[in-house]
Amino acid sequence: MFLNQTTYSVGSGPVSVAVVDVNSDNKPDIVVANYNSNNVGVLLNAGSGTFNGETTYAVGSDPQGVATVDVNSDNKPDIIVANYLSNTVGVLLNAGNGIFNAQTTYSVGNGPVSVAVFDVNSDNKPDIVVTNAGSNTVGVLFNAGSGSFNAQTTYSVGGNPFSVAVADVNSDNKPDIVVANEGSATVSVLLNAGNGIFNAQTTYSVGSGPVSVAVIDVNSDNKSDIVVVNWGSNTVGVLLNTGSGTFNAQTTYSVGGNPFSVAVADVNSDNKPDIVVTNYLSNTVGVLLNIGNGTFNAQTAYPVGTLPRWVAVVDVNSDNKPDIVVTNGGSDTVSIILHC
């Protein structure tokens, strides 16, 4: 289903990746957080799924999570990054043509790891949601307009919150927060009470060391389900939504060694979302096809670089088939695996 990887050099210790058109040429580009280089790299799409060398922008210390969303309503996607050792979130506004201004930083909790950007208070301005791993909180920074943000409001979650997703899980047209708590072996669900205020967490047990979470309807019942990678259990867990934002116990599927990141997208054009996971110690990416009713086949593994971390699934070569983009933390590369 997928071809052999093509790799591109990036900075030292790439962690997370976002794939979106940043220079308005209708071709998705790559944005990567380089943990050891203290920068974010932008690789512009040169066409046919090939990419130019990265252009780097300085950010805070040990950047981990990255998102790319238009935060100042100028129709140009901006970069938002979690700076782990600086205890900040950096916002780099897009100056046009895929060039970015220097970051503006906002203080958050200790050890921010993952960031999501979504309008949580229905004012048509995207807000920032960040996991503070050292504080055991999730922070919400409301967009104050023009791409500036208010101080965070924090909510308690589990131990070492490592990943966050924002989606409406209880069908009330308000986006809720879902967090993977690596230190607690749980997933937290914080329902949106309105105006971007969130209720206390409800937790669900998952496997050992959950480090990445995605929220999407996997069984075609119009309710958002949770998919989580369990680093210490070498599994992916699927928690089906039972309604009103509550979830069944996870069903697990074996994957490779120490899975690190998950993306969920329909990769075989059958209108059912499939699971794509990076297997950190196996140096592979695994694809688990959805066979219906939210159940999945065993993974098919594809070789990538050394110590793969983050994964995104996006059509990068305009053939209407989703491709796989992976950061390789041990190789200092990004892998592109084109769909056959």
Side-chain angles (χ1 to χ4, degrees), residues 9 40 43 95 145 149 163 187 191 204 211 233 267 286 293-294 309 334:
S9 295
V40 293
L43 294 82
F149 292 85
S163 176
V187 167
L191 296 179
Y204 298 87
V211 291
S233 302
V267 301
N293 298 318
R309 289 176 172 168
V334 169

Side-chain angles (χ1 to χ4, degrees), residues 69-82:
V69 176
D70 177 14
V71 299
N72 61 341
S73 303
D74 65 354
N75 296 313
K76 299 191 292 281
D78 309 298
I79 297 173
I80 301 89
V81 60

